[in-house]
Amino acid sequence: MRLGDVAPDFVAQTTQGALSLHAYKAGSWAVLFSHPEDFTPVCTTELAAVARLAPHWKARNVKPIGLSCSSLADHARWVADIDASHACRVAFPIIADPDRRIATLYGMLDSQDPTNIDAAGMPFTVRAVFVLDVQNIIRLILTYPASTGRNFDEIMRAIDSLQLCDAHRVATPANWKGIHEDVIVHNSLSNEEAGKLFPNIKTVLPYLRYTNLQKSSRL
C-alpha cells in the first residue's frame, strides 16, 4: 500500500465488538496501529500513551484503532492491566488478529527480527501506523521495529500538519511544532496569489516563502 491509496476495508472482532473499518470511522480520521503481542512492556506503554491522548484525538476528529496478534480474551485482561497500572482508560477498540489476516492485508508482519515470533514460529507484527483521512485515503505510513516504542506526539503533530495543509495552501517546515509557528507558502502559488491569501509573507528564497496563519487571521 502507498500514500494516496484507499485503505482496504475489513470486518474484525475487537474489544468493542465486531468492527467494519470504514463504517466505524465514517466521517472521521483514524490511526490504525499494530502491536506484536499482548502483555508486553513496550506495547503496554504505547496503549497507555494513546489512551491519555483521548481528548486530543477527539479535538482532531481522529479515532485510534489498535491491533494485536493476541486473542480477545487476552485483550480484555491486558486492557485491565493497563488501566490499573497507568491510571488511564483504554476506550478505543483493539482488534484481535491471531490469524494475522488483517496484519497480512496491511503488510504489518515482521520479516527482519527473528525473535518477534510466537510459540509456533509465526511472525508478530512490527509497530505499523496508518493514518487515514475522512475519505479513507492513506495519508501517512510509519513503521517502527518491535524494540522501539512510537512517539504519539509526533504522530499527532503529523496529523496537525496534514489537516492544516488540507485547509490552506501551505506546507510545514522541518521541526514544525504547531499552528502558532510559521508555515511555508505552497510553491504552486505565484507571488501575486500568495500575497492575496497571506498578507504577512517573509521571502527567504524565491522558492521558500514563510507566513504565519495565526498572525494573518487565517485560522
Side-chain angles (χ1 to χ4, degrees):
M1 278 179 281
R2 300 177 180 177
L3 299 184
D5 288 350
V6 175
D9 196 13
F10 57 78
V11 176
Q13 294 301 316
T14 80
T15 50
Q16 296 184 5
L19 176 152
S20 163
L21 174 65
H22 289 185
Y24 174 75
K25 65 167 291 298
S28 301
W29 289 60
V31 176
L32 174 64
F33 62 108
S34 63
H35 298 271
E37 187 182 20
D38 294 1
F39 306 109
T40 50
V42 177
C43 300
T44 297
T45 63
E46 289 188 320
L47 285 185
V50 173
R52 287 171 173 163
L53 289 169
H56 301 283
W57 301 123
K58 183 177 181 180
R60 291 161 174 79
N61 190 31
V62 176
K63 292 184 174 181
I65 307 168
L67 178 148
S68 171
C69 296
S70 300
S71 68
L72 273 181
D74 281 348
H75 283 3
R77 293 192 297 271
W78 187 34
V79 166
D81 279 355
I82 296 167
D83 287 351
S85 62
H86 287 75
C88 64
R89 180 171 175 263
V90 177
F92 54 87
I94 305 172
I95 295 166
D97 193 30
D99 62 0
R100 281 50 163 188
R101 177 175 61 90
I102 297 163
T104 299
L105 177 65
Y106 274 77
M108 296 172 170
L109 293 177
D110 198 333
S111 62
Q112 59 89 34
D113 184 349
T115 69
N116 192 29
I117 57 174
D118 66 14
M122 288 181 66
F124 288 128
T125 65
V126 292
R127 301 186 188 282
V129 179
F130 293 85
V131 173
L132 317 180
D133 67 15
V134 174
Q135 287 76 37
N136 301 317
I137 302 300
I138 299 173
R139 301 296 299 277
L140 178 71
I141 301 173
L142 295 169
T143 306
Y144 290 64
S147 59
T148 303
R150 285 160 283 202
N151 185 331
F152 286 94
D153 289 333
E154 164 59 15
I155 293 169
M156 191 165 287
R157 184 198 75 92
I159 291 171
D160 283 345
S161 172
L162 289 167
Q163 293 182 343
L164 186 74
C165 296
D166 282 355
H168 304 275
R169 296 179 71 179
V170 298
T172 54
N175 301 322
W176 179 81
K177 295 181 177 64
I179 59 173
H180 60 285
E181 293 193 342
D182 287 355
V183 294
I184 295 171
V185 176
H186 201 280
N187 271 350
S188 64
L189 291 172
S190 68
N191 286 334
E192 182 180 357
E193 291 171 319
K196 292 177 181 178
L197 290 174
F198 312 112
N200 62 332
I201 293 175
K202 178 176 67 176
T203 300
V204 177
L205 292 164
Y207 50 85
L208 178 56
R209 300 165 295 175
Y210 288 98
T211 189
N212 188 291
L213 295 176
Q214 283 191 328
K215 291 178 180 177
S216 62
S217 301
R218 292 295 187 267
L219 293 176

